[in-house]
Amino acid sequence: MDKVQITEQLKAIVKPFVANKEAFESINEDTDFIKDLNINSANLVDIVLDVEDAFGIVIDDSSMAKMLNVKATISIIETKLSEK
């Protein structure tokens, strides 16, 4: 799975939780889930669980704490996929 596929799948996972729809339209690697998309911390946990299901990976607590923006999340997904 390449970065583009991961990004598209991640966008689909994040979309239902986004409060700022306008910011979602211009989502990029630097987009912060909390500051830019107004996703609350409880929903971030839901996103992590959905990412685990979608990609068939397990995300540990230290990795979860780093998943605050798109770039970091993609990097963690890529790392976990390569470990499978």
Side-chain angles (χ1 to χ4, degrees):
M1 183 173 280
D2 67 18
K3 196 173 200 168
V4 173
Q5 291 171 309
I6 293 171
T7 303
E8 289 307 308
Q9 201 162 349
L10 179 62
K11 285 168 69 175
I13 291 168
V14 169
K15 189 173 185 177
F17 301 101
V18 173
N20 186 341
K21 303 293 184 196
E22 197 174 298
F24 181 77
E25 296 304 319
S26 60
I27 195 170
N28 61 53
E29 283 194 345
D30 296 322
T31 301
D32 184 285
F33 294 130
I34 296 172
K35 292 179 194 154
D36 298 326
L37 301 180
N38 298 341
I39 296 172
N40 67 42
S41 55
N43 285 342
L44 276 181
V45 174
D46 292 331
I47 289 169
V48 170
L49 296 173
D50 290 348
V51 164
E52 287 181 324
D53 289 344
F55 293 98
I57 57 177
V58 176
I59 298 170
D60 55 86
D61 290 344
S62 65
S63 295
M64 189 187 306
K66 297 174 189 167
M67 293 174 65
L68 298 176
N69 63 42
V70 174
K71 186 175 189 174
T73 303
I74 291 170
S75 175
I76 290 165
I77 292 169
E78 288 176 327
T79 300
K80 298 295 180 184
L81 286 173
S82 71
E83 293 171 356
K84 282 177 68 173

